[in-house]
Amino acid sequence: MSWTALLSLRRASVAAALIAFSPALAIAQAAPQLAPNAPTDAPVQAAQKCIWLAMDRAMQPYIAQARATWPQARQRYLAGLPPRHSFFVTALLVDNQDRREQVFIAVDGIQGGTISGKIWNQVEVVHGYKLGDRYSLPESELRDWLIAKPDGTEEGNFVGKFLDTYEPPRSCFSNTVGD
């Protein structure tokens, strides 16, 4: 089986483009918005399972940072963000062929330990999901969070900022990565 993984998580420009070109989707989360000068997204491709595993391992400290700061971000969202601030989380989608892809979820609710919203970027690798699909995940599976501000700045996005400078392995000697 060939492994392909796409991490559409570096930045939120994909979400900005989707908002611009898909006004019907902009209704769910009190119209999630990104400023025109918001940082751009640069997907990272991983063609082999071992490359995905190496990338996932490298992301773990940043996922831990996102999860450690999640309670404060969640509380701010529940208290009500200022106008034109949009709240996203990233989730890992896995299909029945074990393909993996991280996607943005435009949050429209958090209740009982579950985050709900809509997939807010094109799904390129994983089958069975698409842009605009409703999606829910347990808070324990959150990989990152992002508050996009109207001035183009952002809070959170720990994994995305890391991926801006991360250079994934180009190949592997085997199809497994040791612990």
Side-chain angles (χ1 to χ4, degrees):
M1 169 193 335
S2 163
W3 267 74
T4 309
L6 177 66
L7 298 175
S8 296
L9 154 64
R10 280 202 180 172
R11 297 284 188 193
S13 71
V14 170
L18 296 175
I19 292 165
F21 296 111
S22 302
L25 291 177
I27 298 170
Q29 183 207 148
Q33 301 176 34
L34 291 174
N37 62 331
T40 58
D41 187 39
V44 177
Q45 298 263 352
Q48 295 175 290
K49 180 179 181 178
C50 62
I51 294 173
W52 165 259
L53 292 173
M55 290 174 61
D56 191 57
R57 185 174 322 175
M59 287 186 283
Q60 290 306 310
Y62 304 95
I63 292 170
Q65 187 177 10
R67 289 177 178 166
T69 57
W70 170 246
Q72 296 85 7
R74 174 162 85 47
Q75 188 59 37
R76 288 178 54 207
Y77 170 79
L78 292 173
L81 293 176
R84 299 179 42 225
H85 285 60
S86 297
F87 197 52
F88 300 90
V89 298
T90 57
L92 179 64
L93 302 179
V94 181
D95 67 15
N96 60 4
Q97 291 190 316
D98 207 26
R99 288 181 291 248
R100 296 162 185 266
E101 183 170 358
Q102 289 186 163
V103 296
F104 287 103
I105 307 298
V107 177
D108 60 22
I110 304 170
Q111 187 172 30
T114 301
I115 304 165
S116 300
K118 288 188 176 183
I119 296 175
W120 210 254
N121 56 281
Q122 293 290 342
V123 180
E124 303 288 336
V125 174
V126 175
H127 295 184
Y129 302 93
K130 67 183 181 311
L131 166 70
D133 280 354
R134 298 273 324 142
Y135 190 80
S136 295
L137 67 146
E139 289 183 69
S140 62
E141 292 180 13
L142 167 114
R143 293 181 69 86
D144 204 355
W145 60 268
L146 164 69
I147 297 174
K149 298 180 179 182
D151 66 0
T153 61
E154 61 188 29
E155 291 182 53
N157 201 21
F158 303 102
V159 175
K161 291 172 185 171
F162 161 71
L163 289 173
D164 283 344
T165 60
Y166 177 71
E167 190 65 37
R170 299 208 186 279
S171 64
C172 304
F173 293 111
S174 72
N175 204 27
T176 62
V177 176
D179 290 338

